[in-house]
Amino acid sequence: MSALLQLSRLIDRLSELVGRWVAWLVLAAVLISAANASVRKALNIGSNAFLEIQWYLFAAVFLLAAGYTMMRQDHVKIDVISGRFSKRTQIWIDIVGICAFLFPFVIVVITFSLPLVIRAYSSHEMSSNAGGLIRWPVFALLPTGIALLGLQGISELIKRIAFLQGLVPDPTRKQQAKSAEEELAETLAQHVAAREQAALEAKK
C-alpha cells in the first residue's frame, strides 16, 4: 500500500502543478478580453482570433483543472442522502462512484475524442470564421483534461482505500479554505514582491 500512496502523492503533485499554472490562463483571458474590447471600441478593429482564443482559454481552464478541482474536493456534491451515513459508508459510496462512473466516463470520452483530435491535426482543420484559429489544440484539451481527471481519480481511489485501512486521514476533507481567486491573488502578490526584491538587489 505504501507504493500506491506514493503514486497517489505524485499524482496529487501533478494536479497541483497543473492547477496552479492553469490559474494564470484566467488572467490571460481577462487581459485578452479587455484588450480586444478596447481596440474594437477605440479603433473599430475586431479579430475572430482574439474572440476564439478567449473560449480556447476557458476550455483549458475548465478541462485541465478538473483533476485539480477533484483533488481539492471542490466539485459540486449532492450529499442529501450520503450525508446521513457514516464516514466509512460515504467513502464506500465514493469508491463505487469512482469505479463505476468516473473511470468508464474517462475511457469513453478519450476513446471517442482522440480520433477527432488526430483527424483535425492531420487535416490542419481551421476555424470556419475568417481569421480564426487552428482547431486541433482546443480539441486536444478534451482528452488531455479528462486523462488528468482520470489520473486524479486513481489517486482519490487509493486514498479512500487507505482511509478504510486507517492509513491516512479523511480524504474528503477540503485541503484549503482559500478560493481559487484568493490563491491567484496571493500568487500574483508573491511574484510582484519577488520582482521588487530582485530589482532592489540589482541596484545594490
Side-chain angles (χ1 to χ4, degrees), residues 1 5 86-92 95 156-173:
M1 196 63 193
L5 286 173
S86 67
K87 177 54 66 175
R88 290 183 67 86
T89 302
Q90 292 177 26
I91 294 296
W92 273 112
I95 290 173
E156 298 303 316
L157 180 62
I158 293 171
K159 286 184 282 190
R160 279 156 177 76
I161 294 173
F163 172 79
L164 293 176
Q165 297 178 357
L167 301 176
V168 297
D170 181 8
T172 63
R173 182 175 53 85

Side-chain angles (χ1 to χ4, degrees), residues 90-103:
Q90 292 177 26
I91 294 296
W92 273 112
I93 291 173
D94 282 356
I95 290 173
V96 172
I98 290 171
C99 295
F101 297 101
L102 177 62
F103 290 156

